[in-house]
Amino acid sequence: SASLFGMAAGSIFLTPLADRIGRRTLTVVSMGIISAGMVLSVVSTGPAELMAFRVLTGLGVGGMMANLNVFVSEYASDRRRGPIIGTYAAGYPIGATIGGFVAGPLIPAFGWQAAFLLGAALSVLMFIVSWLFLPESLEFLLVRRPAGALEKTTRILARIGRPALAELPAIPAAEQFRGAVRELLTNPVRVRALLLWIGYACLVAAYYFANTWTPKIMAAASGDGSLGVTAGVIANLGGILGCFIFSALAIKYRANRLLVAALVCAAAAYILFGLVFSQVAVAVGVA
C-alpha cells in the first residue's frame, strides 16, 4: 500500500513536469528515483524504513507510467496505436509474473532482500538504457522548443526515416502551448477530459485493489500462503494474455469498442470472483 500511495503522488505531482522538462527527461529522472528506492529498500533496517523507501519507489513509478502512456502513443502510428499500446501494457504483468516466479526460490534461499536486489539491478540497468537510447518527445521539441530543439528533432527524424527540417515549423496561434490543465478544461474537450479522469481513476483503483488483495484473499481462503503467491502469478499471466488478445483484435476493431467489452468482462469477473473465492481451484481460474 505504501508503494501505491507513492504511485498516486508521482502521477499527480511528477507527470505534469513532462510538459516543462520533456518526456525523456522525466522518464530518466523517474527511473533514477525508482533505482534509488529499490537500492535503499535492500538496505532498510526495519518496517518504517522499508515503507518510506517503497513510497519513494512508487513515486518514481507513478511519475513514469502516465508519462510513458503518452510517450508510446505519440510515437505509434494512427493505424497501429491500439496494438502498440496493448503490447506496451503487457510489460507490467510480464514483469510481475517473472518477479513472482523468481522471488519464489530467491527469498527462502537469500532472504526477502533478494527480491529487492533483483529489482534494483533491473531498475539501474533500465536507467542506463533510458539515458543512452530514449529519444525526446517530438511534440515537446516542436512546441516547447528547448535549446538544441532543431538538432534533436533532425536526429529523431533521421532515425525514423523522415526528411530533415531546415528550421522548426511555425506554431499556429490556436495550437500554442497553454498548459496541460488549462487546455484540457476548455471546450470542446472539457467534458470528455473530466469523464476520462473519473473513469480511469475508478479503473485504476479497482485494478490495484484487486491485484494487491487477490493473493492475500486466496492465501486466507486456502490456509496456504504459497498459494496466494501462485494465484498472484496466475492472475498476471491472465493479464499478459489479455494484453496480447487486445493487441491482436485492435488490428481489426476500434480500440474504444474493445475497451468497453474488456471493462464489461472485467466487471463480470470481479463479481464472479467475489462469489467463488472460497472454492480455491475455481477462484484461481477466475483470477
Side-chain angles (χ1 to χ4, degrees):
S1 296
S3 63
L4 295 179
F5 278 114
M7 287 173 63
S11 296
I12 294 169
F13 297 113
L14 290 185
T15 302
L17 295 177
D19 291 325
R20 298 186 178 276
I21 65 176
R23 302 203 185 285
R24 177 190 184 279
T25 302
L26 180 61
T27 301
V28 172
V29 169
S30 297
M31 281 305 311
I33 295 172
I34 294 168
S35 300
M38 294 295 284
V39 170
L40 291 169
S41 296
V42 174
V43 299
S44 60
T45 57
E49 278 192 9
L50 182 59
M51 286 179 63
F53 298 145
R54 295 306 295 156
V55 171
L56 179 64
T57 305
L59 188 72
V61 174
M64 185 174 64
M65 285 182 66
N67 177 48
L68 286 182
N69 285 336
V70 181
F71 211 163
V72 173
S73 179
E74 178 188 341
Y75 272 106
S77 68
D78 290 341
R79 185 180 180 189
R80 294 286 185 244
R81 184 165 289 113
I84 288 172
I85 290 293
T87 303
Y88 152 74
Y92 186 94
I94 287 172
T97 302
I98 294 173
F101 277 123
V102 172
L106 271 184
I107 291 174
F110 302 103
W112 61 266
Q113 293 92 340
F116 289 112
L117 185 60
L118 176 63
L122 293 173
S123 298
V124 171
L125 174 63
M126 291 312 302
F127 170 77
I128 296 170
V129 170
S130 300
W131 180 279
L132 293 176
F133 299 110
L134 194 67
E136 185 50 273
S137 159
L138 275 175
E139 182 184 29
F140 174 78
L141 293 173
L142 294 174
V143 176
R144 293 307 298 256
R145 307 195 172 187
L150 179 58
E151 293 78 7
K152 292 175 182 177
T153 299
T154 300
R155 286 198 297 269
I156 294 171
L157 291 174
R159 288 173 64 181
I160 61 177
R162 300 294 180 183
L165 297 176
E167 59 182 7
L168 293 174
I171 305 174
E175 296 181 11
Q176 289 182 357
F177 184 82
R178 292 181 292 174
V181 174
R182 181 181 173 189
E183 185 173 357
L184 287 169
L185 292 180
T186 56
N187 285 323
V189 298
R190 176 170 53 196
V191 173
R192 287 189 177 185
L194 290 171
L195 289 174
L196 280 169
W197 284 346
I198 295 168
Y200 191 66
C202 292
L203 171 64
V204 171
Y207 170 74
Y208 281 108
F209 182 85
N211 206 44
T212 302
W213 282 98
T214 294
K216 181 74 173 177
I217 291 171
M218 294 306 305
S222 65
D224 181 0
S226 63
L227 180 63
V229 176
T230 302
V233 171
I234 291 173
N236 280 298
L237 282 171
I240 298 170
L241 186 62
C243 287
F244 286 121
I245 290 174
F246 182 94
S247 297
L249 292 174
I251 296 173
K252 184 176 181 180
Y253 300 103
R254 292 177 61 183
N256 59 343
R257 294 179 180 177
L258 293 174
L259 284 171
V260 171
L263 286 168
V264 170
C265 291
Y270 279 133
I271 294 170
L272 183 59
F273 182 79
L275 296 173
V276 303
F277 73 84
S278 59
Q279 303 172 44
V280 174
V282 177
V284 169
V286 174

